[in-house]
Amino acid sequence: MYRSAISIFSAIFILLNTAASAQSMKVLDSAAYIHRFWDAKAVRIGTVPLVLFAGSAALWGERQNVRELRNRYIPTFRHHFDDYMQYVPALAVIGLNAAGVKGKNKPGRAFVSYAFSAVIMGAVVNGIKYTAKVERPDGSERNSFPSGHTANSFMNATFLHKEYGQYRHPLYSVAGYTLATGTAIGRQLNNRHWVSDVVAGAGIGILSTELGYLIADRIYREKGERPVIHKDPIPVDGKPSFLEIRMGYAVATTKDLTGNVNGISAKRGFNMGAEGAWFFHRNVGAGAEFAFTSFPINDDGLLITDPDVTIISDGHYTQPMGIRYLHAGPFFSIPLPRNWFITAKILGGTSLGSDGNVMLRLNSDWQDLLQRSDFPYLRYKPEGTFSWSTGMGIQKRISRNIGIKAYGAYFDSDHDFGIDVVDDVTDDGKFLFKHLGTEKVRFNHFTFGLGLTAFLW
């Protein structure tokens, strides 16, 4: 299923690249060919969507773990801002035109481009939805993949980006993509989509707008297009202030994160976050990151011999161990030829672990009696502590305001984990716990992944 969706866009990417780089095939010099490759229109159009499609595929196996975080902390979240936020960037283009603020194209050409974009986006999203038939996380329907709301919001954000972000000021782009990201997050918080759905939807939305503009460019050519205000690309000696979202895998540096708790282990997980920095010098800036790492737990070796437990349960499972952190400090950037950059950071701040439980799977008799399917048996509660992180990346700016980054980072923190066991249940259904002890857990781990960067200069 997913392979067929990727193949559609791979075919589009290959066809566009063949047309856009036909002349560059005549160039024998390898350095010149590489330069022309990155400057090819197909590469500039297709790189970000392909990165998002690859990210969606990579997250397919982690989607249950990401959803578990939502269900643990905000299981009753129900707000409909995402139903309306998806349209705001397109309405901004209409409003700015109505107010006399000129965009990159005259209104007629702009909205022809938008019409083509909407047709492409709608056809692709619905074609995949009703072919793949992926069940939504809330179990309501089998049309979850990809997210139509997210595709529409990123299509609209790219519309605003091309009309005003590229033409007038990059903050228009930042605002549009912030709203689109909010829509994507809202779809997950409302339990309507998996993380893989929204990441793929973002890629479809961006690519649909790029293709819509490509078609309109072939129709209009130079007619209806205003001279650009900003030159592209920006000289490499600019100050690379940025906002970035990232996702990747996490690997614990110790043999096991769970300390001396016998029978359960955690070694690999995933990391997601956002960061940004303001550069006061071309090489040095200051900024912050907010991120979380979650490690699924393997508890196959955990034996619970309490006879009362064996009477009511058919087994058990352990919720993931998670950490969220807010760090600040210096960021560094070293420009290389062809708009490549080496990036680095050294940050410190605070981190807080996520509470979790060893949950008993109740048998059918006790499910009917307690009106629930599981029951907390053991609980772990980590305390907040100082933490620090450092990392490096290799980054390529592929358009005026967009870059992609491959990164590696290291995170370090030590937490005291309090471990409690359930002792009683009150008449109103509250669980009372008895303290068993405290374990020191080193949450040190490496993360590796990809980041999508919005440059603000």
Side-chain angles (χ1 to χ4, degrees), residues 333-374:
S333 179
I334 300 175
L336 302 175
R338 312 299 187 191
N339 281 323
W340 287 88
F341 298 83
I342 294 175
T343 66
K345 61 186 178 183
I346 304 174
L347 310 176
T350 184
S351 62
L352 183 64
S354 303
D355 297 354
N357 298 277
V358 175
M359 304 293 293
L360 303 178
R361 293 189 175 94
L362 297 177
N363 58 39
S364 57
D365 293 336
W366 283 87
Q367 285 186 31
D368 295 337
L369 179 63
L370 298 179
Q371 294 297 300
R372 56 183 299 153
S373 60
D374 51 21

Side-chain angles (χ1 to χ4, degrees), residues 128-202:
I128 298 175
K129 269 182 179 291
Y130 297 103
T131 301
K133 297 182 179 179
V134 176
E135 186 176 39
R136 291 182 183 270
D138 62 4
S140 60
E141 300 170 281
R142 299 191 66 86
N143 61 351
S144 187
F145 179 84
S147 168
H149 279 63
T150 306
N152 189 50
S153 65
F154 274 86
M155 179 190 73
N156 291 333
T158 307
F159 181 43
L160 178 61
H161 162 68
K162 294 186 79 67
E163 288 298 316
Y164 287 94
Q166 289 183 333
Y167 180 72
R168 287 193 168 273
H169 198 282
L171 287 180
Y172 284 105
S173 303
V174 172
Y177 286 120
T178 299
L179 290 167
T181 302
T183 300
I185 293 172
R187 299 309 286 163
Q188 295 173 80
L189 295 181
N190 280 309
N191 207 29
R192 294 292 289 165
H193 281 288
W194 309 97
V195 63
S196 51
D197 301 345
V198 300
V199 175

